[in-house]
Amino acid sequence: MLSFYPGPSKVYPQTLGFIQEAYEQGIVSINHRSARFESLLKETLENLHQKWAIPADYTIYFISSATEAWEIVAQSLIEKQSLHLYNGAFGKKWAHYVEQIIPNASSLEFGLNESLSEFSSQISDELKTDVDTLCLVQSETSNGTGQVIHRKELGFSSNCLIAVDATSSMGGIELPWLEADVWLASCQKCMGIPAGLGVLICSPKALERAEKLNRKDHYNSIILMEQNRKLFQTHYTPNVLGIYLLNRLSQTLPSIQEIHQQTLEKMAIWEDFWKNQSSFEFDFLVDKQALRLPTVLALKGNTSEVNRIFQLAEQHQIDLGKGYGTWKNNTFRIANFPSHTLEDIHALIQILPA
C-alpha cells in the first residue's frame, strides 16, 4: 500500500537497498562498543549537523522514541516546575506523563487557531517566573497544527529551558534550533525510515542544567548519555540499523533548506486541491493557514464523508490517517513527508472524483 499515514509512514524507497547493504556489510551485527560503531556514530552525527544545519555546540543523542524523550526531559532537566502549553492530544499526553514524575508540573491548553506567542502573552508573570522548564509541541500530529517558536516572544525567564517536540517536522522542514534548548522527535515520520529510533538534541544550556542537577539514578540520565557520546558510543545497545539508515540517507538527500522548500511546494498543491475539490465537503481543521503544519494535513467533514474517503482510498491500496482524539470521527489526516513524491500525491488526487 501507498502510505500517507502520519507515522509510521512511507519510508524512502532507497532505504530497502541500504538495509540490504547493512546486512551484507555486517552492520546489523557489530558490537556497539567497537571502533567500527564509534566511527559510524561519529560520521552520522557529523552528517546530521551538516544536513539539518544544527548548531555545532548542540549535541545529538539517539534514543528509542520521542515518548522516551519526554521521560528523559522530566528526569534529567526539570528542576522543580515545568509548564506544558498544548492544543492537541500529544501535547496533552506529554503533560500527563510528566505529571507522574514531577509533582509541580502544570499545563495549559490553547485553541487550534491561536499561536503560542498569542497564548503565552496571557500567562501571568508570576507563573512565568516560577517555571524552570517550558514544554511545547511544534508539530501537533493529532490536528495538523504547526507552531513558530520564538524564545523572546514567549516571555519566560532567561533561565527557563525550552523543550520542543518536533516529531512530525524534524527532517522535513527547517527548525529554529537556537530558539529552544531541547528538540526531540521519532524517526518514522519525516526522517523516512522504519520506527524504532528517536532523536534528542540538547543545547549547552540544557547540558549545564543536567550537570547542575546531576541525576544519575535513572537509566536514561543525560549525564550518562553525554559521557558515552564523548566516546562516540551510546549508553545502551542502540538501534544500529536505524542509525546506519539515517547516516546513508543523510549522505544522499539534499540539504534541509531544499527539503523544506519541497515540503512547502507539495503543501501548496494539497491546499489548492482541497480548496477547489467539489465532490467532498472537507475543510482544513486549522482555519489559519499560518498555523497549519506543512507536513501533516488534517481535514474535517461529516462522519459519512470521512468514511467514504477511507473506503475509496482502501480500494486503491492507499492508507490515510484516521482522526485522532477529539477529532477522531470527523477528520482524516494526510502525511506530507519528504518521502512522499509528487507522483504519490497525484496518485491520491487522481482517485478522487472531480
Side-chain angles (χ1 to χ4, degrees), residues 13-63:
Q14 58 267 47
T15 299
L16 178 60
F18 294 150
I19 292 174
Q20 181 67 28
E21 184 179 275
Y23 175 78
E24 292 174 350
Q25 296 181 10
I27 297 294
V28 293
S29 303
I30 61 175
N31 185 332
H32 65 291
R33 302 296 179 203
S34 66
R36 191 179 185 193
F37 175 77
E38 291 170 3
S39 177
L40 169 63
L41 183 58
K42 181 176 185 293
E43 183 177 77
T44 306
L45 297 177
E46 290 174 349
N47 287 344
L48 290 182
H49 269 285
Q50 179 183 7
K51 281 298 175 74
W52 290 355
I54 300 172
D57 58 353
Y58 276 50
T59 51
I60 306 172
Y61 307 96
F62 290 117
I63 52 178

